[in-house]
Amino acid sequence: GAVNWSLMVGVILLVLGFESSNALASAYGVAVTGTMLMTTILVSAVMLLLWKWPPILAVPVLVCCLLVDGLYFAANVPKIIQGGAFPVLAGIVLFVLMTTWKRGKQLLVERLDEGGLPLPIFIGSIRVQPPHRVQGTAVFLTARPDAVPHALLHNLLHNQVLHEQVVLLTVVYEDIPRVPAARRFEVDSYGEGFFRVILHFGFTDEPDVPEALKLCHLDDLDFSPMRTTYFLSRETVIASRIKGMARWREGLFAFMLKNANGNLRFFKLPVNRVIELGTQVEM
């Protein structure tokens, strides 16, 4: 497919760019020994900070490994100017992209939480001033099941209606390959037609949300395809002078977020049953 063609084009461009097998060998040596060194450093952090190994046991082992890997990498340092700069630059670029994405998502959640509304307060206001309710089930995907999704607020603000059944759906990934069907979902009822549903998936599971929701066999919930509408929030990031990241990183994150795959395809939502509501967020 497209991935294989991209790999082929990338390999051809690399071969043409290096021009010689010696330059390719230099890049390979720097990449392999650099990977070995970074792996050892990461293992050191895991052993000491996560596994809580006693330093008297961990340090001697780690020093030996770091010494060997460090010598291998040091022997390849002169090759950086002979073609080995490519893996170093590629690593720096990937590091910047990954850290920018991680930090940007953290800031995005913080900005959204600043204007968030606690769910109990919202449901209380619904009891006092009930809006017009329409037939069907509205599923709002949200990472915060205890707060009102922005898509729900925008839908109520602009359309002045709520569905009979409102489901706040959160997808959680467990540190196991697969989650059994019996443990797939959790359901809580808040009253006034509001429900919280948490779906659990393993890291090798295919996150098919419509199929998973069929497991929720409750009389009060109807997830039939023609009665269920999925509401998604799409955030548009605007770079600003608010303290957070550098302006160029905010612009980079905005570009990455704009081109990222949305939840529609990832969760296999039916295209003709999805409504996206946008929100502008200043970073």
Side-chain angles (χ1 to χ4, degrees):
V3 175
N4 291 332
W5 280 102
S6 300
L7 290 174
M8 184 194 72
V9 172
V11 170
I12 293 175
L13 292 177
L14 283 177
V15 172
L16 295 176
F18 280 109
E19 297 181 350
S20 68
S21 58
N22 288 333
L24 275 172
S26 298
Y28 180 78
V30 172
V32 171
T33 56
T35 301
M36 292 168 57
L37 180 61
M38 292 304 301
T39 301
T40 303
I41 293 174
L42 292 175
V43 169
S44 303
V46 171
M47 291 174 64
L48 294 172
L49 302 178
L50 187 61
W51 295 345
K52 305 295 184 182
W53 277 36
I56 193 172
L57 297 177
V59 171
V61 176
L62 296 175
V63 168
C64 293
C65 294
L66 287 171
L67 181 62
V68 173
D69 292 338
L71 289 175
Y72 276 122
F73 182 74
N76 283 273
V77 168
K79 297 180 180 180
I80 291 179
I81 60 175
Q82 302 171 5
F86 176 78
V88 176
L89 293 176
I92 293 174
V93 170
L94 290 175
F95 178 79
V96 171
L97 291 175
M98 294 173 68
T99 54
T100 299
W101 178 260
K102 182 176 184 295
R103 179 57 179 161
K105 292 292 285 186
Q106 291 175 344
L107 290 174
L108 181 61
V109 172
E110 292 176 4
R111 299 291 186 267
L112 292 174
D113 286 346
E114 290 175 358
L117 180 64
L119 188 59
I121 296 178
F122 178 76
I123 295 178
S125 66
I126 295 297
R127 293 192 181 101
V128 175
Q129 293 181 330
H132 180 67
R133 308 296 287 256
V134 296
Q135 295 182 352
T137 301
V139 179
F140 293 88
L141 272 72
T142 175
R144 290 282 307 276
D146 57 339
V148 181
H150 284 260
L152 174 55
L153 293 175
H154 282 282
N155 179 59
L156 182 59
L157 175 65
H158 294 289
N159 298 323
Q160 303 293 316
V161 296
L162 279 179
H163 286 70
E164 289 178 336
Q165 300 166 336
V166 178
V167 175
L168 308 183
L169 176 63
T170 301
V171 177
V172 177
Y173 287 92
E174 306 291 346
D175 292 330
I176 56 177
R178 296 187 180 278
V179 174
R183 295 173 47 201
R184 178 73 70 197
F185 67 92
E186 301 176 43
V187 181
D188 291 318
S189 175
Y190 292 106
E192 302 298 324
F194 281 79
F195 299 86
R196 180 185 69 176
V197 176
I198 300 178
L199 294 180
H200 297 267
F201 292 98
F203 53 79
T204 62
D205 284 326
E206 290 288 337
D208 191 331
V209 166
E211 285 296 322
L213 289 177
K214 292 180 181 179
L215 299 175
C216 300
H217 301 298
L218 296 178
D219 295 335
D220 295 333
L221 282 175
D222 181 9
F223 290 112
S224 57
M226 298 308 297
R227 289 178 54 86
T228 304
T229 304
Y230 299 88
F231 289 83
L232 305 179
S233 296
R234 177 169 290 275
E235 295 83 12
T236 300
V237 172
I238 301 175
S240 67
R241 298 186 181 275
I242 300 176
K243 185 178 180 181
M245 293 191 298
R247 293 290 294 273
W248 67 269
R249 292 187 72 191
E250 291 177 354
L252 175 61
F253 174 71
F255 175 79
M256 295 170 66
L257 185 65
K258 181 180 179 181
N259 292 276
N261 286 332
N263 292 329
L264 191 152
R265 290 185 178 180
F266 186 74
F267 291 127
K268 299 182 179 179
L269 303 179
V271 178
N272 60 342
R273 305 298 301 177
V274 173
I275 297 176
E276 285 191 332
L277 298 172
T279 302
Q280 288 188 343
V281 182
E282 290 188 355
M283 297 282 288

